[in-house]
Amino acid sequence: MKNLKLYAEYGAKVDLPYDGERLSLSAADAELNRLFFATSANAIYVLHLSSPQENSSTEFWVSDVPLSPTLEPDDYIMALDYLMEKEALIIGTLDGFLLQHSLDGDLTEVVGRVEGGVKSIAASPDGSLLAVATGLGQLIVMNQDWDVLYEVMLEPPASGSVFSKVLHYQSSFSIHSAAIKPVTWEGSCVSKVQVSWRGDGKFFATLVSAGGSSSLSRIRIWDRETGASLSSSEYKVFMGGSLDWMPSGAKLVAAYDRATEQKCPLIVGFERNGLERGSFSIGDAVEATIDMLKWNCNSELLASLSRCKEYDSLKVWHFSNNHWYLKHESRHSKTDYVRFCWDPVKPLNLIAWTQDGKFRSKNFAWVTAVTEKSIALVIDNCSILVSPLSMSLIPPPFSLFSLKFQSAIQDIAVLSQHSKNRLAVALSDGCLSIVELPLMDSWENLEGKEFIIESCHSDDSFGGIGHLTWLNHQVVIATGLCESGVGDACLEKFSRNNGFSCEDKMRQACGCLFMEVQFICSEDSVADTVTSSGWHAKVSKRMCLQKPVLGIVKNPTEDGSAFVQFVGGSVVEYTLKSGLRMPSLDVGQKNPNIFTGFASSCPWMMAAQVRDDGILKPLIFGMDEHGRLHAGNIIVCNNCSSFSFYSSSTGLSEQVFTHIILTTKQDFLHIISLGDILRKNHEVGCEKYIVNDGKISNQESRDALKVWERGAKLIGVIHGDEAAVILQTTRGNLECMYPRKLVLTSIVNALIEGRFKDSMLMVRRNRIDYNIVVDYCGWQAFLQVAPEFVKQIKNLSHITDFVCSIKNDNGMETMYKNFVTLPLIRKEGTGMHVVRVENSDMKNKVSAVLSSVRRALEEYVPESPARELCILTTLARNEPPALEEALKRIKRIRELELSGTVDKSDPAHSKSSPSAEEALKHLLWLSDSEAVYETALGLYDLNLAAIVALNSQKDPKEFLPFLQKLEQMPPIVMRYTVDLKLRRFKSALLNMASAGEDCFEDSLILMKKNPQLFSLGLQLYSDSSRRSQVFEAWGDHLFGEESFTDAASAYLCCSSLEKALKAYRSCNNWRGVLTVAGLLNLSKEKLLQLAHELCEELQALGKPAEAAKIALEYCHDVHSGIMYHVSAREWEEALRVGFLHGREALISEVKNAAAECASALISEYEEGVEKVGKYLARYLAVRQRRLALAAKLQSDERSVNDDDDDASETSSTFSGMSAYTLGKGKGSAASMSSNSTSRTKERRRQRNRGKIRAGSPGEEIALVDHLKGMALTSVAAHELKTLLGALLMLGKEDTARKLQRMVSSFQLSQRAAVTLAEDCLSSETMDTSALSLDNYIDKLKKELPDYQDPSWQSIILHPPLQAELYILARTCATGYSVYLIRNSRVFAAIVTVISVPPFHNNQRYDQ
């Protein structure tokens, strides 16, 4: 599905100084990209080709001075080749001399001579061997040092010849020797020898054309190392000048002469074993001969040169899908005696030359044969194979129909207007043809037909033209190659006006002919068929341009306008009215957004009509030979291999393209919105890659797909709802794929436009989740359009599939989140309103959607069995399934059948509803049969339950006895039994309650087994005695569940006080216990005993404060109460009670206990300060060691060779296993553990979480956590506050201040240590001088100079500030009353200062 387009043709000419001098031989230098041509005058001209990296406006040029090798008089060059290693030409002469001509010094050296003359020279692909064929039929193979490795006979000598009698002949090759004994071969002389090496140089083939009566010959395959003949073909009549081995080595080709059979020559392929491997006819006259066959450097194209009676024909063939296509033909005059060769580096460049020194470089490019309307127009010789891909994928060489022209086709231009297609075709004989195709609706009638196309009538000669492009329905423009002197005046005028140079700096002798051709038809077209007659062509405008044209594309937004690209990438606009309109360079420099051309030459150029801010405009795309895809002023992709445009259904209606689809050299297919490209194109100076390379991330997966076969190319798309991308593999077969992004875009467009039927067809065809129909605009919006949805679909089976697929999630936020974006506001009057409710409850989605569909079915769809089954489906797929309602509908149908009002055999009934059995089977197929059976039982319809059981394949032994037993029961008991079986306990209790008081015991048992029924039972039974029994049973259940408080409440409701007392005591609610004891009127002795027991229990539970309250209030034991307060460290409360009861001894005990507690706390917090320092020091040591080890490992990793992947992976893996690293290495298979082992290790880590293990990987974190855990708790703060208050009450101010100072010091040290550890943990470097605990304590003091913890500290006991001490000392000496003291901490300083001499004063101290 691709055509070979001649996008550029360059010409050059060398002036041969001698009359009758002709170009004869050629050789190629692939390294420096140049060709050598030998003339009949023994001169060698060098043709320099541009390299693939160059972007030159000149394709080649000829050296000014030819090379002049030194030959003997009357000797001529017969063979020529180039040795890259020696940088020299190897020349074989008529007299048998082998010459080495050095290119550096233009020196010629004789390296040997052979008898019979040199017929052919062929160097091996690696340049290490040289094969020389002589006129005596010998083959000599030598190395670079000119040592003969072996020499063999090309063909065995004929029997009886003179040569056959010489058994031991002298070597026919001599180094630097000119006097060798002549050896003759009588009766057989070699006229032509072809030698061709295989691409890898392991084998070479020869074909000899010998004189004599017999013209039979054969191809022989030789081994490189030994010179042994490995295989040969059959003896055939070969055309001796045609033999070439495909560079890939798959096969070699030669030509058969079939003139004796009155047939044209045949090109035949051979395998290495000499067997034929396919053939094809060249399609010329019988007398034609094939003079040359050459493969291009990538083995993709085969060029042949056939010499006919009237002209010479240069043809380019391509093999695909087991068929040989003639993709290009150019005809030349017989007098030119044209020859050719392929560019040794560029596979699509062919150089042809004539014997009088004219050169032409033909630059080809593969272009897709698929038009924008998805019509394939494949060129094959003089036929166009037409296939509408939107109807069917027909791989060539097959086609729907074909168009046959009078000669081979060179170029095609397609004009699509008003659903019609018109073709302009340029032929190799210089004629033009116009073809009008009918509407595609009638193409099915054209299947298998071949239409003979007439050429246009014209008085002008067009010659070889290309770049055919329609301007409007009557005018095309094209380019050709004009010889020097043609249109010089026009050229000079155009060049003067538009800035082109007329100087021929590169010795180009040919310019680019630009012409405008007008067509007029004298006949009316015939509908529903192909027409081509009655067309007249006339050249209305012609000009010769010095700068070659690379491409022309029609302006899609303006009729009569086209864009023309010149070599170098510059693009101008051509219009019918004003011709070529050159943009001003100043304008392009001032405004970079103005498009003046591409950055490089782009042989592939296309224009897409897009909508930019509501304005239709063209966007020009071009791809250069390096794969850079340009779009206006930006680069879309830097490794593109093919691209095409796609238009969605919305784009088709607006006649614009919406996406560009491209493939990369890494075999990825990318889909890019043209809107994104337009936005980037508006950026000034923008040169960005939208597609960088072939690496696809998860975020990019919506826009890129992996092409499954390497080398597959994009050839076209099918627009609109089809959303198909067509690829052609290297084998030639076609593959159609449907990218998710395009498919979802089409579905979304159909939904927004309200085309539900089309969207459903796309969903079904592409296996898209049906939920997209509901979720795209929000399921709330679908509820509004559900009736329209049902009306459009009509196919109830499709609606059933849709209903079965609805799920309670949003597919637009999960499955298709990365493929389509949220919808825009729809057009008024079409499609779905966008309704999106934030945090909408997706649990209601299924039931709401199915309910709306069910209502629409009942309202808008006529009654039918399919409708009823669809409604049952909506009930069965509801969440939860509405099986009861579904069974009721089935029961209604069954009742109608049993009543006899409906005749089953009546066709009207069968059309309105299904049978009950059919409906039931449908419900069972959609639902769990057991659930349907239980639902039928729940309707208390035993007959229906039996029918369900029978249709669900249940064993009658399982359900019949049970149903029979139910049938014999009273109705209420039957319902109760069914409810119990179905575990519908609430319904069972209701049934039992309705049975009366006799069934109360059964109801109570049911409530005990199902405690959730107790509240319902209290509502059903109003009698106080029954309610008491229910409450007591409920209390017993709660007591067993250890819900003692609730159990006590239940017991109190039924006046079961003993059980209530037990319940309160079980939950340690001493207030409830003593309250219930009061309700029981216990005696004083029992109440006192109960109080003592409660004190002991609370003391054991760690609640001495509550025990103290009971001892004081109920036991009246002051001593025990105070001791309980001391045990609870309620110092102030202990003192209050002691003073209340005047117990001096107890007060003294409290004072001593408080002092001892303060002393113990001072020692404890002093030790805590030391622990903080130790833990911090250990942490800093561990941290420093880990950082040093990590730095060493990183330096070791950097020193490892980057190419050694194994070492790199090992080092990186083990770096994560260090005891001082936090990184996680990639585990190997050996390090993997089972789930059970992992769980065991996790449990062990949980147990050891509070421990610090020296050297363990988690030691750092454990140390930091331990430092944080040493912070003062709220309980400790409360105890400190009460203790400080008690000490002040007892006059122990010094002890209180010392305790507060020590705890404050600990608190400050702990906080500073935590801050230091966190700072160190967040940094990868350590400054040991700065990371000091004292520094952080000082820093914390500066940041919080008035820091205090009001939860436990006393302001009175705060230490004074040093500066304030000095100021207050002077103040007290001179009179402190004159200063206003505003800071509370200064009061503490005053007390400290005036309590010591010389400032001590009792009066001041008291004040």
Side-chain angles (χ1 to χ4, degrees), residues 1069-1259:
N1069 188 345
W1070 60 272
R1071 290 180 176 85
V1073 171
L1074 294 175
T1075 302
V1076 174
L1079 293 175
L1080 288 173
N1081 295 320
L1082 293 179
S1083 60
K1084 292 184 179 180
E1085 292 78 8
K1086 290 183 179 181
L1087 185 60
L1088 184 61
Q1089 182 181 357
L1090 180 61
H1092 282 296
E1093 292 174 356
L1094 289 175
C1095 288
E1096 294 175 359
E1097 292 174 2
L1098 292 174
Q1099 175 70 13
L1101 291 173
K1103 299 179 180 181
E1106 297 180 3
K1109 195 168 186 179
I1110 297 175
L1112 292 172
E1113 293 179 0
Y1114 287 90
C1115 300
H1116 306 289
D1117 187 352
V1118 178
H1119 180 272
S1120 298
I1122 292 176
M1123 291 300 105
Y1124 283 140
H1125 280 303
V1126 171
S1127 178
R1129 296 194 176 184
E1130 296 285 347
W1131 305 104
E1132 294 177 340
E1133 184 67 16
L1135 289 176
R1136 184 190 69 81
V1137 173
F1139 284 115
L1140 175 65
H1141 295 280
R1143 301 290 183 90
E1144 293 295 336
L1146 292 177
I1147 293 173
S1148 177
E1149 289 184 16
V1150 172
K1151 182 178 181 180
N1152 295 334
E1156 292 176 3
C1157 182
S1159 177
L1161 287 177
I1162 291 172
S1163 300
E1164 180 181 343
Y1165 283 105
E1166 187 177 3
E1167 184 181 355
V1169 173
E1170 296 177 0
K1171 286 184 178 181
V1172 167
K1174 291 180 181 179
Y1175 282 121
L1176 182 61
R1178 175 60 182 171
Y1179 169 77
L1180 293 176
V1182 171
R1183 179 68 179 174
Q1184 187 173 11
R1185 191 184 310 169
R1186 191 203 72 81
L1187 292 177
L1189 182 59
K1192 184 177 183 301
L1193 290 173
Q1194 290 177 1
S1195 63
D1196 293 343
E1197 288 179 1
R1198 284 194 296 267
S1199 64
V1200 176
N1201 189 352
D1202 293 336
D1203 295 334
D1204 190 357
D1205 296 337
D1206 296 336
S1208 177
E1209 184 176 354
T1210 304
S1211 64
S1212 62
T1213 301
F1214 279 98
S1215 68
M1217 296 182 179
S1218 168
Y1220 300 100
T1221 348
L1222 299 178
K1224 297 182 180 179
K1226 296 182 179 179
S1228 63
S1231 66
M1232 297 293 182
S1233 60
S1234 63
N1235 292 335
S1236 59
T1237 306
S1238 300
R1239 287 193 293 268
T1240 303
K1241 291 182 178 180
E1242 181 63 24
R1243 287 194 296 268
R1244 189 180 298 118
R1245 283 194 294 269
Q1246 292 290 343
R1247 288 194 302 267
N1248 297 333
R1249 177 160 293 179
K1251 300 179 181 178
I1252 303 176
R1253 296 181 179 272
S1256 65
E1259 184 180 4

Side-chain angles (χ1 to χ4, degrees), residues 1307-1364:
Q1307 201 170 10
L1308 194 62
S1309 299
Q1310 184 268 339
R1311 184 170 181 178
V1314 170
T1315 305
L1316 189 154
E1318 290 177 346
D1319 292 347
C1320 188
L1321 190 64
S1322 60
S1323 175
E1324 293 298 326
T1325 58
M1326 286 188 63
D1327 185 2
T1328 55
S1329 60
L1331 297 176
S1332 168
L1333 182 60
D1334 294 337
N1335 292 341
Y1336 270 78
I1337 291 175
D1338 295 340
K1339 182 179 179 181
L1340 195 61
K1341 287 181 179 179
K1342 293 178 181 178
E1343 292 176 356
L1344 302 172
D1346 295 328
Y1347 172 76
Q1348 55 180 294
D1349 189 352
S1351 63
W1352 65 275
Q1353 289 183 355
S1354 174
I1355 297 177
I1356 302 300
L1357 301 176
H1358 279 177
L1361 299 178
Q1362 298 297 329
E1364 292 169 350

Side-chain angles (χ1 to χ4, degrees), residues 93 477 815 886 913 1033 1112 1114 1134 1140:
T93 69
I477 55 176
M815 187 181 303
S913 63
L1112 292 172
Y1114 287 90
L1140 175 65

Side-chain angles (χ1 to χ4, degrees), residues 361-510:
S361 174
K362 297 177 179 289
N363 293 2
F364 296 100
W366 285 114
V367 296
T368 178
V370 182
T371 67
E372 293 178 356
K373 301 297 183 181
S374 304
I375 301 173
L377 303 173
V378 181
I379 295 176
D380 184 15
N381 199 348
C382 58
S383 298
I384 295 180
L385 309 179
V386 183
S387 301
L389 300 183
S390 57
M391 297 172 59
S392 176
L393 289 185
I394 306 176
F398 305 105
S399 63
L400 184 66
F401 61 93
S402 62
L403 310 174
K404 188 173 181 62
F405 298 81
Q406 66 183 19
S407 62
I409 300 163
Q410 285 189 330
D411 200 5
I412 305 176
V414 183
L415 179 65
S416 299
Q417 283 185 345
H418 310 297
S419 302
K420 286 188 176 182
N421 296 280
R422 180 177 294 179
L423 309 182
V425 182
L427 306 179
S428 60
D429 60 359
C431 296
L432 293 176
S433 295
I434 301 295
V435 185
E436 282 194 345
L437 302 179
L439 297 176
M440 288 188 64
D441 297 339
S442 60
W443 280 25
E444 294 182 358
N445 302 325
L446 308 179
E447 184 175 1
K449 295 181 180 181
E450 182 180 68
F451 297 92
I452 305 301
I453 306 302
E454 300 179 12
S455 297
C456 295
H457 303 284
S458 178
D459 297 331
D460 300 310
S461 178
F462 299 101
I465 63 176
H467 295 302
L468 275 177
T469 305
W470 288 95
L471 286 182
N472 55 32
H473 65 286
Q474 287 186 333
V475 180
V476 299
I477 55 176
T479 62
L481 194 66
C482 69
E483 301 297 333
S484 60
V486 178
D488 289 338
C490 179
L491 169 63
E492 291 177 4
K493 180 180 179 181
F494 176 77
S495 301
R496 242 187 351 259
N497 295 337
N498 300 295
F500 284 106
S501 173
C502 295
E503 297 181 2
D504 190 9
K505 296 182 179 179
M506 298 301 180
R507 291 182 171 267
Q508 285 188 316
C510 302

